[in-house]
Amino acid sequence: MKLAVVVLSLAAAVLALGSPAAAKAAKEDPKECEVCVKVLEDVEALLDSDEKSSKVSIEEALGTHCARKDLSAKEKKMCYNMEPIKKSVSHPFSLRMPKKKVCQRLKKDNPDICEIKFPVKVAKEAKPEDVSKLRVKQLKQILNDRGVECKGCVEKADFVKKVLDTQHLEF
């Protein structure tokens, strides 16, 4: 009897780990929606505690935030994407939904919302071992942010070498 309970418990645990929900949670990108979340946190910082449930105040704060001159290029792009859907932003925001959930909901209106990510930064004194741990996609993005083309780069080692050769360039 006890053996049957143990076997059933183990079977349930294996099924739970192999479920699509568990696979999706393990596959989720930690940097997904990072720019969107930062913009929404900055907008929240502009609001008083009693204004956080007012849709009009949220829309005005979003406009104020996006009008700032010191925004990064990625934040400006996020503001450009959020401007036409201000009402879609303000409704879940006013209900105090978590920022990441708001961004994932906005993704339905504009799929680019969660695709905007901050650039990968590499320290100037980065060692080849550190750079070689990055994915090829990240290496390509670093080179693109630096304005460098990697002609003839086929292998990962080619991209790593080019990133190291162009370390002196700023983003």
Side-chain angles (χ1 to χ4, degrees):
M1 179 77 172
K2 289 182 181 180
L3 183 63
V5 171
V6 171
V7 170
L8 286 175
S9 299
L10 286 173
V14 168
L15 287 175
L17 290 175
S19 72
K24 183 180 177 187
K27 205 176 186 184
E28 190 173 312
D29 183 11
K31 291 187 168 246
E32 181 187 31
C33 304
E34 67 179 342
V35 178
C36 178
V37 170
K38 180 177 184 318
V39 168
L40 291 179
E41 286 172 350
D42 292 347
V43 168
E44 184 178 36
L46 295 173
L47 295 168
D48 293 332
S49 60
D50 59 332
E51 294 178 325
K52 289 182 183 178
S53 59
S54 167
K55 293 177 188 176
V56 174
S57 297
I58 293 167
E59 291 171 21
E60 289 173 0
L62 183 62
T64 303
H65 173 74
C66 291
R68 290 179 32 201
K69 301 288 184 203
D70 63 337
L71 296 178
S72 70
K74 300 293 183 176
E75 289 173 305
K76 288 179 185 175
K77 187 173 182 180
M78 182 57 63
C79 285
Y80 175 81
N81 286 325
M82 282 186 174
E83 192 66 33
I85 55 172
K86 273 186 179 181
K87 293 201 184 302
S88 298
V89 174
S90 65
H91 179 69
F93 194 99
S94 68
L95 299 173
R96 306 208 182 201
M97 187 180 282
K99 307 301 175 268
K100 189 157 185 167
K101 289 286 185 194
V102 172
C103 294
Q104 289 170 342
R105 182 179 278 190
L106 293 173
K107 193 168 142 180
K108 294 174 188 169
D109 291 339
N110 186 345
D112 292 336
I113 293 283
C114 286
E115 297 302 316
I116 302 171
K117 296 180 177 144
F118 287 115
V120 178
K121 296 197 179 194
V122 178
K124 289 195 181 228
E125 57 280 341
K127 297 177 183 169
E129 301 86 41
D130 297 335
V131 176
S132 65
K133 290 179 183 176
L134 296 173
R135 294 175 181 255
V136 173
K137 183 177 181 179
Q138 292 172 316
L139 295 170
K140 286 181 181 178
Q141 185 63 46
I142 291 168
L143 292 173
N144 187 29
D145 291 342
R146 291 180 180 170
V148 176
E149 250 185 78
C150 193
K151 292 183 179 176
C153 294
V154 179
E155 299 291 325
K156 181 177 179 178
D158 300 332
F159 288 102
V160 170
K161 183 178 182 321
K162 192 71 166 182
V163 167
L164 293 172
D165 290 345
T166 59
Q167 277 184 329
H168 63 283
L169 299 174
E170 288 294 319
F171 282 105

